[in-house]
Amino acid sequence: MGANEFLFLLTGLKWTVLLSIVGFIGGGVFGLAIALLRVSGRPLIERITSGYIALFQGTPLLMQLFVVYYGLALVGLKLDAWIAVAIGFTLHASAYLGEIWRGSIEAVPKGQTEAAKALSLRYVSRMRDVILPQAIRISLPATIGFLVQLIKGTSLAAIVGFTELTRAGNIVSNQIFQPLLVFGIVGILYFLLCWPLSLYGSHLERRMAIAAR
């Protein structure tokens, strides 16, 4: 494999990283809103958001990307592959992060909420200054673990023709007929991307376990 092929793989890696960032940040914004709605105390809103989460957690990511790209095209809304996968990953991430953060918010001791209410803090101040800072710390290991899964899940974006790392590897492999070499390098690039995050997530879990003793 020559330098040009390796550079093409690095271009695919760049799009994998960008898609992961867009999906994670977009999913984080909507996921936080979903988490807050899930603990709003309003039964109808909680049921709607619970259904949203169940929909995306109960269906394969591959199908979700397929529906966003091809399904919307059937109703006249033709999206570029990059836009389609960005929307798909944002929706997917928002459901998972929303549920992770909902659990973290509910894991904060009830006494914290009661103390904030006793100080006459309004809902926004109570969440921003008391509950969310603690919930974020609790959720960090699970959030990082999901980010690792999201990065690996970007390989499914090839179904709509988006050239990320895995599809770039497939293209190079078809050109030079060395699949073991090409996908060995692809695997190493994924490993170098995900392994540090996994180590950091494990480190945070150990710190939290020690702090809880």
Side-chain angles (χ1 to χ4, degrees):
M1 186 172 69
N4 289 336
E5 288 78 12
F6 185 69
L7 288 175
F8 187 70
L9 291 182
L10 291 182
T11 300
L13 177 62
K14 177 192 72 174
W15 287 111
T16 289
V17 172
L18 288 174
L19 179 57
S20 301
I21 291 172
V22 169
F24 186 74
I25 293 177
V29 171
F30 289 106
L32 179 59
I34 289 169
L36 293 174
L37 292 173
R38 287 278 282 124
V39 297
S40 65
R42 300 174 184 271
L44 178 59
I45 293 176
E46 289 183 0
R47 283 197 294 270
I48 292 172
T49 51
S50 178
Y52 175 87
I53 291 170
L55 174 65
F56 283 95
Q57 288 189 346
T59 55
L61 174 57
L62 188 67
M63 190 201 77
Q64 295 164 19
L65 296 175
F66 190 91
V67 169
V68 171
Y69 186 71
Y70 294 105
L72 293 179
L74 290 176
V75 296
L77 187 57
K78 178 66 175 176
L79 298 177
D80 179 75
W82 162 248
I83 301 297
V85 295
I87 292 173
F89 275 89
T90 294
L91 295 174
H92 177 79
S94 68
Y96 278 86
L97 291 175
E99 187 65 6
I100 289 170
W101 293 343
R102 188 273 311 165
S104 300
I105 290 171
E106 293 185 345
V108 174
K110 298 297 183 184
Q112 299 289 325
T113 302
E114 293 169 1
K117 288 180 179 178
L119 293 172
S120 300
L121 292 180
R122 295 183 179 274
Y123 177 80
V124 173
S125 297
R126 192 163 66 240
M127 279 293 176
R128 184 188 61 211
D129 300 326
V130 179
I131 305 302
L132 288 181
Q134 297 179 71
I136 288 171
R137 286 196 295 270
I138 293 170
S139 72
L140 274 176
T143 300
I144 293 172
F146 174 74
L147 175 58
V148 172
Q149 295 302 315
L150 190 69
I151 291 170
K152 291 187 287 187
T154 57
S155 61
L156 298 176
I159 190 175
V160 299
F162 183 71
T163 306
E164 39 61 63
L165 180 56
T166 299
R167 187 162 190 264
N170 191 50
I171 292 171
V172 171
S173 175
N174 290 338
Q175 288 177 343
I176 66 174
F177 305 105
Q178 293 180 299
L180 289 179
L181 172 62
V182 173
F183 283 102
I185 294 172
V186 168
I188 290 171
L189 292 174
Y190 273 116
F191 179 78
L192 293 176
L193 195 59
C194 296
W195 185 55
L197 290 171
S198 297
L199 285 180
Y200 183 57
S202 298
H203 171 68
L204 288 175
E205 283 189 89
R206 288 193 298 271
R207 285 186 58 184
M208 289 182 62
I210 292 172
R213 290 175 185 172

